[in-house]
Amino acid sequence: MGAYSVSFPRDFNYGPEDGEGDSAGAVPEHKPRILLMGLRRSGKSSIQKVVFHKVSPNETLFLESTSKVVKEDVTNCSFVVFQIWDLPGHLDYFDSTFDSEHIFGGCGALIFVIDSQDDYMDALAKLHFTVSRAYKINPKIKFEVFIHKVDGLSDDHKIETQRDIHQRATDDLVDAGLDNLHLSFYLTSIYDHSIFEAFSKVIQKLIPQLPTLENLLDIFISNSGIEKAFLFDVVSKIYIATDSSPVDMQSYELCCDMIDVVLDISMIYGEENRASNSVADSLIPPQHRGKFCISPISFDSDDSLSEDGDSSFPPDRVKEESAFNTESSSVIKLNNGTVMYLREVTKYLALVCILREDSFKRQGLIDYNFWCFRQGIQDVFELRKKLGLTNGEVAPNGLPDAPKDTLAGK
């Protein structure tokens, strides 16, 4: 199947490695897009702010309704390079005033957000209209439905709401003769980690190497006595792969909290000069390095760059730069006999493992297997780099070599 080819799509790339020259030339202008759609006040902008700007969920209560198309460039600080387009709910993007071929033609995934605490009949009608039209333009789009704001519902009500929305949406597609159009449904809230897990599942569908990454993780944990392992994009806390065992929400939340702890402590007690290790340093003007990195830009805004080429940093368009670097690692022992072990894979990726304290006594074996796993990740994307040299694609960055002597016995 084409979705599981060895190479990434032409426009699916990675953030530039520090010190590799002009970062603007390292990332193509056209990137895979994820569209956020839904009715007004359904929570689209809040999702975007919480996941990619680390805004506190309580602060999103003061966000104004989106009135224009906003493009979020998830490039500067993330391993996976893509765009989030926040599309206001009151506009018809299939109208002649919009270039629907451009909007949906290069779309990798379409996320439709439904407010579960409101009457969702209008939202279902909008969902059917949107996905049926978009599918005709681009049948390769992954259609995802976030049943949002479920934090205010009881467990039974959550299940009933999801069942009802799933049934109605599926029946509408069958009645329209769109049996091949598949919708995926997720219960989400910005007040817990469900929104991060849902986004993780969406991003994973855009990664052709996902089966290979999962297989590498399965081999790693089976030979290391590890119960569960996640491969995290450090900045967004989206896990791009995990082993084949079921994901427990509590374990995922613990891993997210561990990443927060490591980053917070690294920013306080880490290297005094982090400029050479910053994930986004090559994208930040020298006078701003060590402060912030910029992400969001608007379609109809031209203030992202001043006339002299310097980036502007308005307060609502910045987030802290990552302190994660090649020296990052952490061990946290819980009071139930469980150990959490974090290791840096690249400047953008971290491997977080959950294992029993008895198994961690063989840390030397785990570390050796980790280096083999790290080399396996590098080999997977090295092939894509070679293909990029032949077909004009941009090669991935941020995958440092593991020590040769460590890997000699692989």
Side-chain angles (χ1 to χ4, degrees):
M1 295 176 61
Y4 295 100
S5 61
V6 176
S7 65
F8 271 84
R10 181 177 292 112
D11 50 4
F12 201 95
N13 295 280
Y14 302 89
E17 180 75 273
D18 296 337
E20 291 193 353
D22 184 10
S23 59
V27 181
E29 294 182 358
H30 179 66
K31 309 176 185 72
R33 293 193 291 272
I34 297 177
L35 305 183
L36 268 178
M37 304 187 70
L39 299 183
R40 292 174 65 91
R41 311 304 302 176
S42 60
K44 303 185 297 298
S45 299
S46 298
I47 291 174
Q48 183 186 21
K49 293 294 184 181
V50 169
V51 176
F52 298 105
H53 292 267
K54 305 310 170 192
V55 173
S56 169
N58 292 327
E59 295 178 14
T60 62
L61 297 173
F62 307 102
L63 292 177
E64 296 182 359
S65 182
T66 304
S67 59
K68 59 184 179 181
V69 179
V70 177
K71 178 172 62 175
E72 169 78 21
D73 222 354
V74 185
T75 300
N76 296 2
C77 302
S78 185
F79 173 74
V80 181
V81 176
F82 58 94
Q83 292 178 332
I84 296 284
W85 289 15
D86 186 357
L87 306 181
H90 64 284
L91 300 177
D92 180 7
Y93 300 97
F94 301 98
D95 187 79
S96 58
T97 56
F98 290 93
D99 186 355
S100 56
E101 291 285 345
H102 172 69
I103 295 175
F104 298 97
C107 173
L110 190 156
I111 299 174
F112 195 93
V113 183
I114 297 178
D115 185 351
S116 64
Q117 299 184 25
D118 197 4
D119 183 6
Y120 47 76
M121 293 305 164
D122 290 341
L124 286 173
K126 181 75 170 182
L127 169 65
H128 177 74
F129 174 80
T130 301
V131 299
S132 59
R133 294 290 189 91
Y135 181 76
K136 294 178 181 179
I137 296 175
N138 182 6
K140 296 182 179 180
I141 295 179
K142 309 294 183 183
F143 294 100
E144 319 290 340
V145 180
F146 285 6
I147 304 173
H148 198 47
K149 302 182 183 180
V150 297
D151 50 277
L153 307 180
S154 65
D155 290 341
D156 291 340
H157 196 181
K158 289 179 186 178
I159 297 174
E160 178 61 26
T161 300
Q162 183 178 21
R163 185 202 63 77
D164 186 44
I165 291 177
H166 183 283
Q167 186 66 45
R168 291 177 183 273
T170 303
D171 289 345
D172 288 343
L173 292 177
V174 172
D175 293 342
L178 298 173
D179 305 64
N180 296 328
L181 199 162
H182 176 71
L183 300 176
S184 298
F185 296 85
Y186 308 88
L187 294 172
T188 61
S189 170
I190 59 174
Y191 292 96
D192 56 32
H193 289 79
S194 60
I195 189 62
F196 293 94
E197 185 181 23
F199 248 104
S200 298
K201 299 293 181 62
V202 173
I203 297 300
Q204 288 170 23
K205 293 181 181 180
L206 302 179
I207 301 178
Q209 282 88 347
L210 180 62
T212 303
L213 297 178
E214 290 178 344
N215 188 41
L216 286 173
L217 285 167
D218 283 338
I219 295 173
F220 171 69
I221 67 171
S222 64
N223 289 280
S224 305
I226 294 173
E227 296 181 356
K228 189 66 181 175
F230 294 91
L231 192 60
F232 274 94
D233 179 87
V234 175
V235 177
S236 64
K237 290 188 295 187
I238 290 173
Y239 69 93
I240 68 168
T242 185
D243 58 88
S244 57
S245 63
V247 175
D248 175 56
M249 178 60 75
Q250 185 177 11
S251 298
Y252 174 65
E253 292 176 355
L254 285 172
C255 292
C256 290
D257 292 342
M258 184 180 191
I259 291 176
D260 285 336
V261 170
V262 172
L263 291 181
D264 290 344
I265 294 180
S266 296
M267 293 182 69
I268 299 173
Y269 300 106
E271 298 179 19
E272 181 177 357
N273 181 12
R274 298 192 308 271
S276 61
N277 293 318
S278 167
V279 171
D281 181 70
S282 61
L283 299 174
I284 302 176
Q287 65 270 34
H288 293 298
R289 288 179 184 173
K291 298 179 181 178
F292 302 102
C293 62
I294 189 169
S295 280
I297 56 176
S298 173
F299 276 125
D300 48 1
S301 172
D302 56 1
D303 63 350
S304 59
L305 287 176
S306 59
E307 293 181 358
D308 59 358
D310 183 21
S311 297
S312 58
F313 289 79
D316 61 339
R317 295 174 61 191
V318 297
K319 59 184 177 181
E320 292 182 351
E321 108 185 46
S322 172
F324 195 73
N325 56 54
T326 55
E327 301 301 321
S328 297
S329 65
S330 177
V331 178
I332 297 179
K333 296 184 178 180
L334 306 181
N335 57 12
N336 62 354
T338 300
V339 174
M340 301 182 65
Y341 189 33
L342 180 147
R343 290 297 301 267
E344 176 264 353
V345 179
T346 76
K347 294 180 182 179
Y348 310 95
L349 290 180
L351 179 68
V352 183
C353 307
I354 300 175
L355 65 159
R356 305 303 300 175
E357 194 169 356
D358 292 341
S359 300
F360 193 66
K361 294 178 181 178
R362 300 179 297 171
Q363 185 177 353
L365 174 64
I366 295 174
D367 288 341
Y368 173 77
N369 288 340
F370 166 76
W371 284 114
C372 295
F373 168 79
R374 193 185 192 193
Q375 180 63 31
I377 292 248
Q378 183 177 359
D379 291 344
V380 168
F381 295 107
E382 186 65 29
L383 176 58
R384 191 263 177 192
K385 182 185 295 185
K386 293 178 181 178
L387 294 176
L389 297 176
T390 60
N391 60 16
E393 296 178 356
V394 179
N397 297 306
L399 294 169
D401 293 332
K404 294 182 179 179
D405 55 344
T406 308
L407 297 169
K410 182 181 177 184

